Amino acid sequence: MKKLFLTAVAAFYLSSVNAQTDANMGIIPAPVSVVKASGYFTVGDNVVISALPSDMKIAQTLKEFLASKGLQAKIVSAKTPLAASQKAIVLNNDFENKLPNEGYQIAVNGNRVVLKGKNAGLFYAMQSFLQMFPSERVKGVYSIQNVEINDYPRFSYRGLHLDVGRHFFPMSFLKKYIDVMATYKLNNFHWHLTEDQGWRIEIKKYPKLTEVGASRNGTIIGVYPGTGGTDNEVYKGYYTQEEAKEIVAYAAARYINVIPEIELPGHGSAAIAAYPELSAFPERDTYIGADWPWSGPRTGKQVQQTWGVFDDIFVPSENTFKFLENVLDEVIAIFPSKYIHIGGDEAPKKYWKESEFCQQLIKEKGLKDEHGLQSYFIQRIEKYLNGKGRSIIGWDEILEGGLAPNATVMSWRGEKGGIEAAQQNHDVLMTPSTNGLYFDHKQSTAEDEPLTIGRNGKGFAHYTKVYGYDPVPAVLTAEQKKYIKGVQANLWTEYIETPAKAEYMIFPRVFALAEIAWTPLTKKDLKNFSEERLSLHLAKLDRTGTNFWVPVAAGQPDKEVVGENHLIELKSPIIGAKIFYTLDGFRPSENAAEYTSPIKINVPQGKKKVLKTIVITPSGKRSVVAETVFNNGASDSKVK
Ligand code: ACM
């Protein structure tokens, strides 16, 4: 029997995708409400920006943006009356205080664009306006459809994390990362500053933390646990306190809070290499991870050269607590954040079990076991920080042995920890590795993906998985759900050596993160997100020299298809990107056939054919090769 397989495709043409035609005006994350009206605000050189002195920074950013579009805008005082015919972008600082926290409104109507909001709200109104601004001028003007937008966030905490311990990232990249966050209305930058492989923040009282702890003598080659080799190259870097303050100020100007993470009691090898007395066994080597087949010379404590989890953690001695309090004093002075992240994850109890001192302490304090000791450790640190007016966030292991009274739990090993914490009336931030929020996971299963942390089918999260995640677990009661304060994605950098690769890993998933963090559930729409807005935003990135993961062509089946005749209709995932394909088994490139119309595939009885496609963007970025097998009764697995 002959079968004709038609692949479902969206009923619109790429050339028509733009912010004005999109139901959400091209805005990511999708706003709460977008109501379009007929007519346009057409903007040329005659536009003014009307603003109060308090909003001059936003006015200036708008002016610079318009200049980048070739338009000369003039800033005028909000007190200057505007003629009805004057084209104007008016900044309205929500004088009546009517809008929800971080909320904003945009009204585009004839000769006026009114951006209304207070503080972050006005800033976000501007971000949305920049996103809805047309990319092309037509007949000398840019035309923005009349529209009313009303918007505010679903969650107060919208986070993105960066691990600078495994690999160090320059200040310029941190600022770019923060700019991305601001564009997509993310408001908490979780800066993971200390690790086994490097201590990255200057602490003046303990100079060896950076003299020794910020430098390692090599880095594992390939996939952990590897084959026993590192590259033997010194790898180092840290941020001075002045630089950290610069990042805090840069972020604050964009309404982003910076949460520093100082890991304890685990992931402390770099600090222990600098100050071995922080270990329960100062004389022991530290560089052997639990499953690291190391056979090299033993050189005592060292900053780790390989990934994983290490047994040598901070000993809970008075000396260690004094050290950590002194470190935290300096950290507090740099970071105004209410929250300080104290880690708490992946702290093996082996050394504490073997240590007479730790066993004695467990008895003295009447603790149950080593987990009780970890809880004691975390609670002491919490008490110290609470005394300084700060609160702690810890990874979900801080539940083990009993939660510190005021702690916020960051749920990373799935949702379980978050659910338990909410049931215990503790605030929760959801960042489950199982639900697409670990951006170090690869974005496809194709062989073309670079080295990432996932192997054997694990550690794979396409952006649609991120998009599909709802941070509020259904098992919680309405009261418990209130403890879910937000959601975050994490970028662990064992296998992310460069800014370009970091960009490749976060885009486009960060768009999906922004949407699940901000947009009400009722407004989420994967089809609109994937086919319209993602395409627009990736096209923009492509023009600005930012790296990203290029989605494969839409419409290509991702599973084997059976039958004789097939008609495959594909769609480029990015405006202006081309699709090339082969049916001869070779890998496609720009030398292959270019997709221009639906592909007819005829598979003779007893045979298979493979469609291989690649997407290439205007700037030359390439997707992985996507393959579909078409099988018409072939019994073997061999493709003919
Ligand atoms: C973690 O990924 N170890 C928090």
Side-chain angles (χ1 to χ4, degrees), residues 166 261 263 267 345-346 395 397 412 433 438 490 492:
R166 276 53 177 265
E261 181 177 353
E263 271 266 16
H267 288 289
D345 62 318
E346 298 180 326
W395 299 109
E397 286 93 331
W412 74 278
S433 55
Y438 267 43
N490 298 332
W492 299 104

Side-chain angles (χ1 to χ4, degrees), residues 50-177:
S50 160
L52 287 169
S54 59
D55 301 327
M56 240 358 110
K57 236 167 70 186
I58 288 183
Q60 197 58 37
T61 307
L62 276 170
K63 184 177 151 96
E64 283 163 21
F65 171 79
L66 293 172
S68 77
K69 294 281 179 184
L71 298 177
Q72 298 309 313
K74 218 166 77 191
I75 298 177
V76 299
S77 159
K79 302 222 165 67
T80 311
L82 295 169
S85 60
Q86 173 66 56
K87 303 272 182 190
I89 300 168
V90 178
L91 305 187
N92 176 337
N93 204 323
D94 184 22
F95 305 103
E96 321 90 358
N97 261 324
K98 283 265 168 61
L99 298 176
N101 200 23
E102 302 183 284
Y104 70 91
Q105 290 174 342
I106 299 177
V108 181
N109 190 359
N111 291 333
R112 293 284 182 279
V113 172
V114 179
L115 306 182
K116 180 172 175 179
K118 198 170 268 324
N119 304 327
L122 189 59
F123 182 75
Y124 290 152
M126 176 190 74
Q127 294 296 352
S128 288
F129 179 72
L130 301 189
Q131 291 188 16
M132 61 199 253
F133 202 87
S135 54
E136 305 286 337
R137 214 195 262 244
V138 179
K139 295 194 184 124
V141 291
Y142 294 95
S143 298
I144 303 174
Q145 170 136 29
N146 285 346
V147 68
E148 287 208 6
I149 296 174
N150 189 14
D151 202 11
Y152 51 86
R154 180 176 179 205
F155 294 108
S156 60
Y157 184 104
R158 305 177 300 279
L160 189 62
H161 151 289
L162 181 66
D163 163 20
V164 295
R166 276 53 177 265
H167 283 100
F168 179 76
F169 290 84
M171 291 286 284
S172 58
F173 179 71
L174 297 183
K175 289 180 179 174
K176 191 172 181 186
Y177 205 69

Side-chain angles (χ1 to χ4, degrees), residues 574-594:
I574 301 170
I575 297 168
K578 292 178 176 170
I579 304 167
F580 297 91
Y581 71 96
T582 65
L583 285 163
D584 57 11
F586 281 81
R587 290 175 70 73
S589 68
E590 46 279 270
N591 299 313
E594 184 180 344

